[in-house]
Amino acid sequence: MDVDYFVIEAANSTQKEFELDYADVIEVFDTNETHLTTEDRRKLILNWTEEGRFNSYFVAGETAQMSEGTYVADRVNQVIKILTNLTLNDDCVDGETMQYILEKVGMHDQILRQLVMSQPIEDVRYLIEEREEFEEELDNQD
């Protein structure tokens, strides 16, 4: 069963029905998300509406553009080598620099969504809690 199969099944059922039918392959059951791995080892995240209807999906991993030997893949690999070899005070490119690069190429919001959607929900919740605590500390300083 591949990504297309599961997406079609999800589109034709409710979240509850889908999760009951495919409980044996589902890795994460969450309020509005279902995580599973397809037979071809692709990580699939299905998103559901508050009413339990299929909303959207995300597949973690390589895109078609990143297939080995394509022009885009070759150029991306060149960029990775440059960034890996780039040193700032004998360190690799830091997080702030990568964030700056993502903002400059207009991908900040997209990569944020992709990272949030591809990580275990527990990790995402932990980061949200950390952010809320940080905001609370800032409010208390005023």
Side-chain angles (χ1 to χ4, degrees):
M1 295 179 273
D2 62 3
V3 169
D4 291 337
Y5 175 84
F6 285 114
V7 169
I8 291 167
E9 289 296 305
N12 291 314
S13 59
T14 65
Q15 181 179 7
K16 185 177 182 177
E17 293 167 338
F18 182 88
E19 290 178 346
L20 285 171
D21 289 343
Y22 299 102
D24 57 326
V25 296
I26 295 174
E27 296 157 357
V28 176
F29 296 84
D30 195 33
T31 306
N32 295 326
E33 288 183 2
T34 305
H35 297 224
L36 59 91
T37 301
T38 64
E39 288 179 351
D40 58 354
R41 296 180 174 224
R42 296 175 74 194
K43 297 283 185 184
L44 175 63
I45 301 171
L46 299 167
N47 298 295
W48 308 90
T49 65
E50 294 294 323
E51 297 79 31
R53 303 301 306 171
F54 175 72
N55 185 36
S56 62
Y57 71 98
F58 173 77
V59 179
E62 291 188 356
T63 65
Q65 289 184 328
M66 286 301 298
S67 297
E68 194 170 322
T70 64
Y71 174 77
V72 173
D74 292 342
R75 299 294 291 195
V76 168
N77 288 327
Q78 287 177 347
V79 170
I80 291 169
K81 284 180 184 175
I82 291 168
L83 291 173
T84 302
N85 293 324
L86 183 63
T87 57
L88 301 171
N89 300 324
D90 296 324
D91 291 328
C92 290
V93 174
D94 63 5
E96 288 82 8
T97 304
M98 287 303 300
Q99 181 177 354
Y100 175 79
I101 292 168
L102 291 170
E103 289 169 356
K104 287 299 180 185
V105 297
M107 294 299 294
H108 185 264
D109 292 338
Q110 176 65 28
I111 199 65
L112 172 63
R113 177 171 172 68
Q114 284 183 225
L115 289 172
V116 166
M117 296 303 287
S118 64
Q119 298 305 305
I121 193 68
E122 298 82 25
D123 294 350
V124 174
R125 285 188 182 119
Y126 174 78
L127 290 172
I128 290 170
E129 289 171 11
E130 185 178 337
R131 173 61 188 263
E132 288 172 340
E133 289 171 9
F134 176 71
E135 293 286 328
E136 190 174 307
E137 287 176 20
L138 289 178
D139 288 343
N140 290 336
Q141 289 179 358
D142 294 336

